[in-house]
């Protein structure tokens, strides 16, 4: 019996079931990206955004810094020993001080991305999310994203390749990281379609410029340095490249020249011939780079958009009435002018209830990889549904044009055990407030009013 029940649980279509606070949060970061939103994407919109010294006229970009940071963090991986990998060890001063990690790109990256770390999203996960979002927002392919990286507690052993290393050393380094020679050529090209070499970090490779639009004197790898495309390959193959690691005056530091040419240009020629091959190869290899983690770390399945996702369910107790506000987001609904969406729910008394979510309240938004359509609970923006507080709500289901959406029979479990009380009060427009919290005890709410409503200064 138990085995059967367990199988039933896993036989659902979704990669995971709602609610899952950790994965719900990551799904929002990845798929609710709009121009002008405040998430990670806003720091690479537009793609020449640079939050470090000099801003957009510096010649640098957050997108390039983030991708390089993810590589350097991963590059200490030893696939045999299972040590190192994408674990945010790059945040330790000891690693950043190494010659192999020259420049301030890592601190610039962490200043932005580590701020998105939460109890559910490690700093290492933010580095991976940053790379995925930078590539996707700046013309690149969709990169399958897995969650669950674990932050290192100390610096890893050194091991990032440097421009002056000989080709055999680069091949050995990438083998130690888990990549073949062909994958090395590809991955370097995938990274070096962004950014370039900065004068202050590598003065002998990137000469000082006097360009007011490139104040940090960055020698870019290709002519479209804030855009993902195969120009890194086409310009190299056609012999017009200005890549400072190919045509630099000191051949010792021309690492891209040695790497790109190491198979007689076969791989770079194939990328120059086909933007699609370049994009699909980079999607696969960048995902592998981001999923290179120390042994013992288990990553989630690839996070795909949830077809049905309730968001921000909030309960407010107003006497005997339990106000239930929230939204439900559907992914890629086909258009239907006469759409009927119903919220159905089981209450604590065994009742089955329903409420029509008015189509006039839907909002439709085009995200990078599909269309999200939201419906608000209740029939005006924040009124919510008025429920009998004693009966409450246990499980939700949705019906879209008569088709039931219930996570394969599991439903969407709701926690109505806690509710804000309308006796809560707020003072002024700062955060001074008193939150009265009601706790469900069996089938009624016990209101815990801990303080009197009064001004904080009284
Ligand atoms: C043998 C391997 C590699 C060598 C020797 C190498 C070397 C370099 C050097 C010297 C810079 C200049 C950094 C600066 O001035 O701040 C650079 C920049 C960069 N590298 Fe690599 N790299 C290698 C592999 C990779 C890989 C595998 C990736 C990612 C997939 C990558 C991504 C980047 C990016 C995006 C930049 C631009 C950073 C910016 O403009 O701020 N690199 N690389
Ligand atoms: C990687 O780990 C293996 C096993 O511990 C070790 O023998 C090898 O020397 C390591 N490689 C490098 C380059 O450190
Ligand atoms: C070329 O670069 C190498 C490695 O940085 C350095 O040792 C050498 O002196 C440089 N050669 C010239 C001519 O500057
Ligand atoms: C690769 O192509 C470049 C540009 O056409 C050329 O200069 C170089 O000699 C080629 N390298 C090899 C190893 O064929
Ligand atoms: C919704 O509720 C009404 C009234 O309680 C009921 O008549 C109707 O059958 C319900 N609709 C569905 C789809 O369950
Ligand atoms: C959603 O629709 C878009 C086209 O509008 C398509 O490219 C994408 O693959 C769809 N996504 C899912 C998850 O079905
Ligand atoms: C909106 O909801 C309220 C109760 O929450 C109900 O009285 C009213 O009839 C609804 N309006 C419409 C247009 O459905
Ligand atoms: C917050 O607002 C209250 C009432 O307006 C005021 O007395 C208090 O000084 C404010 N606190 C802060 C930290 O601004």
């Amino acid at each position: 019996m138990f085995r059967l029940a367990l199988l039933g649980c896993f036989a659902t279509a979704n990669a995971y079931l709602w609610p899952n606070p950790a994965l719900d949060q990551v799904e929002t970061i990845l798929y609710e990206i709009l121009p002008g939103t405040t998430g990670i994407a806003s720091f690479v919109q537009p793609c020449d955004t640079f939050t470090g010294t000099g801003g957009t006229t510096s010649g640098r970009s957050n997108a390039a810094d983030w991708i390089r940071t993810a590589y350097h963090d991963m590059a200490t991986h030893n696939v045999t020993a299972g040590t190192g990998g994408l674990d945010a060890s790059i945040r330790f001063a000891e690693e950043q001080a190494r010659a192999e990690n020259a420049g301030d790109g890592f601190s610039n990256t962490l200043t932005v991305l580590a701020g998105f770390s939460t109890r559910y999203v490690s700093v290492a996960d933010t580095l991976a999310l940053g790379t995925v979002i930078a590539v996707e927002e700046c013309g690149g392919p969709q990169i399958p994203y897995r969650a669950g990286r674990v932050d290192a507690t100390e610096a890893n052993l050194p091991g990032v390749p440097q421009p002056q290393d000989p080709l055999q050393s680069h091949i050995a380094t990438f083998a130690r990281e888990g990549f073949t020679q062909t994958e090395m050529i590809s991955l370097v090209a995938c990274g070096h379609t962004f950014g370039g070499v900065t004068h202050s970090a590598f003065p002998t490779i990137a000469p000082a410029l006097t360009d007011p639009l490139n104040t940090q004197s960055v020698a870019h790898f290709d002519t479209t340095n804030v855009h993902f495309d195969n120009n890194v390959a086409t310009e190299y193959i056609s012999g017009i490249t200005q890549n400072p690691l190919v045509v630099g005056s000191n051949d010792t530091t021309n690492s891209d020249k040695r790497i790109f040419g190491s198979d007689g240009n076969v791989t770079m020629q194939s990328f120059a011939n086909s933007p699609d091959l370049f994009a699909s190869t980079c999607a696969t290899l960048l995902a592998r780079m981001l999923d290179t983690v120390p042994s013992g770390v288990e990553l989630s399945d690839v996070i795909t958009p949830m077809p049905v996702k309730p968001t921000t369910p909030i309960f407010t107790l107003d006497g005997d009435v339990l106000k239930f506000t929230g939204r439900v987001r559907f992914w890629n609904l086909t258009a239907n002018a006469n759409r009927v969406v119903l919220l159905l729910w089981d209450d604590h008394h065994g009742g089955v209830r329903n409420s029509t979510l008015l189509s006039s309240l839907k909002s439709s938004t085009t995200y990078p990889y599909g269309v999200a359509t939201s419906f608000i609970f209740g029939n005006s923006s924040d009124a919510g549904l008025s429920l009998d507080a004693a009966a409450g709500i246990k499980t939700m289901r949705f019906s879209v044009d008569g088709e039931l959406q219930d996570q394969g029979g599991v439903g969407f479990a709701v926690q109505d055990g806690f509710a804000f009380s309308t006796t809560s009060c707020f003072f002024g427009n700062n955060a001074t407030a008193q939150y009265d919290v009601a706790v469900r005890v069996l089938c009624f709410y016990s209101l815990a009013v801990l303080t009197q409503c009064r001004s904080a200064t009284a």
Side-chain angles (χ1 to χ4, degrees), residues 27-83:
E27 201 256 18
T28 298
I29 292 173
L30 272 175
Y31 294 109
E32 300 200 359
I33 295 177
L34 288 165
T37 47
T38 54
I40 290 177
S42 67
F43 290 87
V44 289
Q45 287 176 337
C47 290
D48 65 353
T49 302
F50 185 60
T51 45
T53 309
T56 51
T57 55
S58 63
R60 293 176 60 187
S61 63
N62 287 342
D65 273 2
W66 294 2
I67 297 162
R68 177 173 179 243
T69 299
Y71 175 61
H72 281 232
D73 190 52
M74 182 286 278
T76 60
H77 185 64
N78 181 327
V79 71
T80 316
T83 52

Side-chain angles (χ1 to χ4, degrees), residues 164 204 249-253:
Q164 71 275 16
T204 61
S249 58
N250 184 343
D251 213 35
T252 306
T253 49

Side-chain angles (χ1 to χ4, degrees), residues 327-338:
R327 287 185 293 133
V328 57
R329 190 206 72 194
F330 299 98
W331 198 264
N332 272 6
L333 284 186
T334 51
N336 178 356
N338 303 314

